[in-house]
Amino acid sequence: MIDRLVKYVRDSQVWQSIFRHGYPDTDRNQSLVMFSSVLLHLHPVKIRRSALKFRYTMCLGGLSAFMFLLLTFTGIFLMFYYVPDTRAAYGNIKDITSNVFMGGLMRDLHKWSAEAMVFLVWAHMFRVFMTGAYKAPRELNWVVGCILLTATLLLSWTGYLLPWDQLALWAITVGTKMAEATPFIGYAGPWGQQLGFRVDNDIRFLLIGGTVVGQNALLRFYVLHCVALPVIITLGMVVHFWRIRKDGFSGPL
Amino acid sequence: MKDMRGFEAVTGQEGKEPVSRRDFFSLVGWGGFLAAMAGVGVGSFKFYVPTVLYEPPTTFKIGPPKDYGVGVDTRWKTIGQFWVVKEDQGMYALISICRHLGCTPNWFPDQERFRCPCHGSIYDVNGNVRGGPAPRTLWRAAISLDPVDGQIIVNTAVRQDPDPKSIEGIAVFVDPEPRKVAPFYIQI
Amino acid sequence: MAERDTTENIFPRNPKKSYALMELVKGQGFQTRKQPEDTVFVWPHLLYIELIAAVTFLAGLLWVCTFKHAPLEDMASADTTPNPMKAPWYFLGLQELLVFFDPWLAGMVLPVLMIVGLMAIPYLDVNPKGVGYWAWRERPFAIWTFNFGFLLWWIFIIIGVFFRGLDWAWYWPWDDWSQHKVASSATLNDMNVILQGWGMGAAGADWATYVLTILYFVVFLALPAVLWRGFSKQLGAVRYIIVWGLFAAMMLSPLKVFLRLAFNIKYFMVTPWFKL
């Protein structure tokens, strides 16, 4: 009875349109699954047995990507209850941690996986360096990786402004004061004032949308954190994975 | 010179390279495209610059001078981000923003020092830097007496910020005497 | 040439079949230097590893979440800075650097140099060896330089996390972290002021600091060419200048920390526009 039902479903047009081949337990289907699935085709069909060794990659790059997925997932949940308004944001975070069902867990996961991602990305960079995996023909992928590293740190930085607590305010105050001290384009930096930059037209003013960290800064960082930087990091990841596939895995021959 | 249909291109003056119709349109097309993109870039940039700001007030009326005792008064720090310093002959207002990276230093009466919790800058009562990474002296805010009711008015948007120099023992130093000028100092 | 006997041995001709092995010939094929490919299918071998890694890591994170919650401090207030104000741990290296350098340098120029320098690594490293395995001896310069910088970054982070307390003063783990430390009585001086104290004129002292700073970079750019001629030739002029310029910039931070702690020097060079 159940077997007949399963067979009916499997033979139906709907099932056939989604799964183009049988369960991947034969060589043919194990190849087809990699070709036909958009997510799985990031992988090659076959891989050298030695490249599976944990000792070589320690799964650092893959886990960084997994952290990004987890952060996107938990971040979307948090966005449902969060308003980027200086009067509301702090209360929203309190609501999320204490009132929303599983809200505290979502925020904790978001926070700790963000910290884990920073650590994993650094560790991944270290591993890639130590195994010489950046050498020709993989130079470009190392550069893309550095961009991803920078984007990861910027995501962390824009992220901890959002709860609008003391850490948020002062970390952003300090961080954007550094921008103010940029040579040439910040008014407190070398040659900034000589080039006509003032507190209300320099790079810091653009970054926080005002002369003090306030509502505009919160909104700008919110947009950067939730839209601009994730888009950049997604594009970077696409290129990063694509190049691994094209240039080949550097693992032991 | 012939263009792709085999017509003779219009030649200009003798000895000058003629511009074929194809090159001309290519130039106009790409030029226009790039100009439009540049316009989009400038427009995006200008869009990003805020034109209306809603920021906290910078002018405070802080009562008559007799309300303040000699020394550093911290009561306005949490309201207006400045300290009122009273000396024997006059008063000035120090803005409580660290010149290193903008944190709010704390006043330690026993040590007679302002100390910043972010990166450890240390200032004396004149605003000169006695330690830590601060590159300039504390700002002094404009201070004046209201001619009508005699109250002190502090405006933290107008700031005194002379170039410091380095003297023996104080790396970031400004002579406090010449700083005692209107509108950054009131005689009492 | 032909090895008829061997052929016959391996594949005896069978008159009933329409095909047969014609000949075995000794020679070099294009596969000779390659070992037999030892490959496995990604499904299921790699995918299961990825799944296990992800699930294990997620379980670990969930376990952390059960006893350690994301911090939330008091509501933002522009008037009072918490004491001490510590950034999250991954930025504490930068925050520690800011204690020793002006913000334009520690906050902008050095981080940008770090990232640009990292990006430039594959184009600066001319050593073709050591791809695809943990190699130490085959590329000592690359490994030592990178690890020195990486270690420095982590040392600054550890100092920031474990040794900085109230007013960003130095606290040992056994100190009372609730008591303010007395501000250091040592006064900071600029290099040119110290030189003036040794009897130099003001302008002379200024110029002496400029010369010393330039000398610092000249030493870093000149010395390797003398010490390691072969390596320098390998790099070529452009790479050589970039490599040692970046190296000198990296060494600035331990040098400045040393000058500050040992001699109470605030800046070793002062110009009207910027201070180092």
Side-chain angles (χ1 to χ4, degrees):
Chain A
M1 176 66 196
I2 292 173
D3 283 355
R4 276 178 62 194
L5 192 67
V6 167
K7 189 169 161 30
Y8 175 76
V9 171
R10 286 218 162 156
D11 289 344
S12 70
Q13 192 181 358
V14 176
W15 182 277
Q16 295 277 331
S17 73
I18 302 169
F19 303 100
R20 306 300 176 96
H21 47 78
Y23 184 80
D25 48 6
T26 63
D27 284 5
R28 185 182 137 79
N29 285 344
Q30 282 171 344
S31 308
L32 283 174
V33 70
M34 290 300 162
F35 293 134
S36 62
S37 161
V38 67
L39 292 175
L40 292 179
H41 93 280
L42 291 171
H43 297 89
V45 170
K46 295 189 94 178
I47 189 166
R48 285 190 300 274
R49 190 182 294 280
S50 52
L52 292 177
K53 281 218 174 74
F54 178 75
R55 211 181 54 210
Y56 186 65
T57 67
M58 296 191 264
C59 299
L60 293 168
L63 283 177
S64 307
F66 173 60
M67 285 301 102
F68 181 72
L69 290 180
L70 189 63
L71 283 161
T72 311
F73 182 80
T74 51
I76 287 172
F77 272 102
L78 293 174
M79 280 173 81
F80 283 118
Y81 283 99
Y82 175 81
V83 183
D85 179 327
T86 52
R87 293 158 300 178
Y90 186 72
N92 287 338
I93 299 294
K94 288 238 167 198
D95 281 348
I96 287 172
T97 45
S98 50
N99 296 334
V100 177
F101 177 69
M102 287 284 175
L105 180 67
M106 285 298 119
R107 185 167 122 77
D108 291 349
L109 259 188
H110 198 74
K111 170 79 184 171
W112 302 131
S113 46
E115 299 212 338
M117 183 166 163
V118 172
F119 180 82
L120 287 167
V121 169
W122 282 352
H124 177 56
M125 180 185 76
F126 177 75
R127 193 285 291 173
V128 168
F129 185 90
M130 295 307 276
T131 56
Y134 59 86
K135 298 188 180 194
R138 301 181 187 84
E139 302 103 318
L140 183 67
N141 220 10
W142 171 270
V143 175
V144 175
C146 290
I147 293 170
L148 287 172
L149 168 79
T150 315
T152 305
L153 290 173
L154 287 177
L155 266 172
S156 306
W157 184 57
T158 50
Y160 61 72
L161 174 69
L162 303 183
W164 205 245
D165 63 349
Q166 282 287 52
L167 172 70
L169 181 74
W170 292 104
I172 302 310
T173 302
V174 167
T176 56
K177 277 271 177 183
M178 289 185 218
E180 185 181 84
T182 314
F184 306 113
I185 52 172
Y187 99 99
W191 298 289
Q193 281 173 338
Q194 284 91 331
L195 287 171
F197 283 106
R198 301 182 310 271
V199 70
D200 59 353
N201 69 352
D202 72 340
I203 178 80
R204 173 172 182 265
F205 182 76
L206 281 181
L207 200 59
I208 62 175
T211 57
V212 293
V213 178
Q215 177 59 54
N216 277 1
L218 180 59
L219 193 52
R220 276 170 193 228
F221 275 59
Y222 176 74
V223 174
L224 286 174
H225 185 76
C226 300
V227 184
L229 287 166
V231 166
I232 290 171
I233 224 170
T234 308
L235 289 175
M237 278 164 66
V238 167
V239 178
H240 205 58
F241 297 159
W242 176 248
R243 288 253 55 96
I244 300 171
R245 289 280 280 108
K246 291 290 127 180
D247 295 333
F249 188 65
S250 68
L253 288 166
Chain B
M1 174 169 282
K2 290 181 177 181
D3 67 11
M4 68 181 280
R5 286 168 301 168
F7 291 119
E8 200 72 29
V10 184
T11 42
Q13 287 170 327
E14 284 292 312
K16 273 195 175 174
E17 269 295 302
V19 179
S20 74
R21 182 185 300 213
R22 169 177 271 256
D23 286 348
F24 174 74
F25 278 116
S26 162
L27 206 70
V28 169
W30 281 110
F33 177 71
L34 288 179
M37 291 319 282
V40 170
V42 172
S44 313
F45 177 78
K46 289 205 75 166
F47 181 87
Y48 198 62
V49 179
T51 45
V52 188
L53 295 178
Y54 304 91
E55 299 198 326
T58 57
T59 311
F60 301 88
K61 214 164 186 180
I62 63 167
K66 66 173 166 49
D67 285 5
Y68 296 86
V70 172
V72 176
D73 191 288
T74 58
R75 79 180 81 162
W76 285 92
K77 192 184 97 171
T78 53
I79 305 158
Q81 278 198 293
F82 61 89
W83 295 290
V84 182
V85 185
K86 191 172 190 179
E87 300 176 326
D88 292 335
Q89 322 89 20
M91 293 175 79
Y92 56 88
L94 284 171
I95 292 180
S96 61
I97 296 176
C98 180
R99 292 307 304 278
H100 183 225
L101 286 169
C103 296
T104 308
N106 299 306
W107 170 243
F108 291 80
D110 52 329
Q111 301 172 9
E112 295 251 298
R113 292 282 184 268
F114 300 102
R115 294 173 68 183
C116 182
C118 288
H119 304 88
S121 290
I122 303 169
Y123 304 87
D124 63 17
V125 72
N126 288 310
N128 289 330
V129 182
R130 294 307 188 106
R136 294 179 81 86
T137 61
L138 286 175
W139 279 301
R140 293 190 186 189
I143 187 169
S144 58
L145 284 173
D146 191 319
V148 181
D149 56 12
Q151 289 199 41
I152 304 168
I153 299 171
V154 171
N155 183 354
T156 55
V158 182
R159 296 170 180 184
Q160 188 193 35
D161 184 25
D163 279 332
K165 57 180 186 189
S166 183
I167 62 163
E168 181 65 41
I170 307 177
V172 182
F173 173 80
V174 174
D175 188 0
E177 287 309 316
R179 295 187 83 165
K180 295 177 179 175
V181 290
F184 302 105
Y185 195 80
I186 46 172
Q187 308 280 343
I188 46 166
Chain C
M1 179 192 111
E3 319 239 339
R4 184 61 53 92
D5 296 346
T6 328
T7 314
E8 279 292 318
N9 268 335
I10 294 173
F11 203 122
R13 294 210 172 179
N14 187 338
K16 282 182 186 163
K17 286 182 179 154
S18 60
Y19 54 90
L21 183 64
M22 291 301 291
E23 208 83 86
L24 279 179
V25 180
K26 269 192 181 163
Q28 286 213 325
F30 40 83
Q31 283 279 0
T32 46
R33 271 156 199 268
K34 254 191 167 171
Q35 296 192 342
E37 280 209 340
D38 184 18
T39 55
V40 289
F41 277 103
V42 164
W43 179 303
H45 295 94
L46 179 60
L47 289 180
Y48 269 102
I49 290 177
E50 290 178 355
L51 184 68
I52 291 166
V55 169
T56 314
F57 207 80
L58 181 60
L61 279 175
L62 285 170
W63 176 68
V64 170
C65 290
T66 56
F67 63 88
K68 193 145 170 56
H69 298 295
L72 187 65
E73 295 179 17
D74 294 340
M75 191 172 163
S77 139
D79 319 311
T80 317
T81 308
N83 194 356
M85 219 310 289
K86 284 196 185 185
W89 61 269
Y90 39 87
F91 284 135
L92 281 182
L94 216 54
Q95 190 170 356
E96 189 60 31
L97 218 52
L98 281 162
V99 175
F100 297 96
F101 290 103
D102 271 6
W104 68 272
L105 195 61
M108 293 312 291
V109 174
L110 287 181
V112 168
L113 273 181
M114 279 180 217
I115 292 164
V116 171
L118 280 174
M119 284 182 180
I121 281 176
Y123 305 99
L124 298 175
D125 188 352
V126 288
N127 183 355
K129 282 189 225 139
V131 180
Y133 48 93
W134 294 81
W136 297 83
R137 290 199 191 83
E138 292 173 16
R139 40 199 205 105
F141 175 72
I143 299 266
W144 276 105
T145 311
F146 181 83
N147 279 324
F148 180 78
F150 203 60
L151 192 70
L152 212 56
W153 182 245
W154 280 103
I155 288 175
F156 279 132
I157 287 178
I158 287 166
I159 289 175
V161 173
F162 295 109
F163 296 99
R164 291 295 186 179
L166 292 170
D167 314 305
W168 209 252
W170 184 280
Y171 282 75
W172 293 103
W174 53 85
D175 286 343
D176 181 359
W177 285 56
S178 62
Q179 291 293 313
H180 288 279
K181 292 233 165 171
V182 176
S184 160
S185 57
T187 48
L188 299 181
N189 279 312
D190 292 353
M191 188 76 125
N192 54 348
V193 175
I194 292 175
L195 291 178
Q196 283 175 36
W198 292 350
M200 271 184 153
D206 281 352
W207 278 102
T209 59
Y210 300 162
V211 169
L212 277 176
T213 309
I214 293 169
L215 208 62
Y216 169 81
F217 283 96
V218 166
V219 165
F220 269 100
L221 284 173
L223 213 54
V226 183
L227 291 180
W228 302 296
R229 300 194 70 145
F231 178 56
S232 308
K233 265 226 177 77
Q234 233 180 347
L235 279 176
V238 177
R239 281 199 193 93
Y240 178 87
I241 290 169
I242 297 174
V243 165
W244 292 106
L246 286 171
F247 195 90
M250 178 171 80
M251 293 307 288
L252 267 181
S253 44
L255 179 79
K256 183 82 186 276
V257 173
F258 173 73
L259 288 177
R260 174 72 59 84
L261 297 180
F263 305 110
N264 289 312
I265 288 174
K266 185 170 171 75
Y267 299 114
F268 58 81
M269 185 175 92
V270 177
T271 74
W273 310 282
F274 65 87
K275 299 165 173 182
L276 270 172

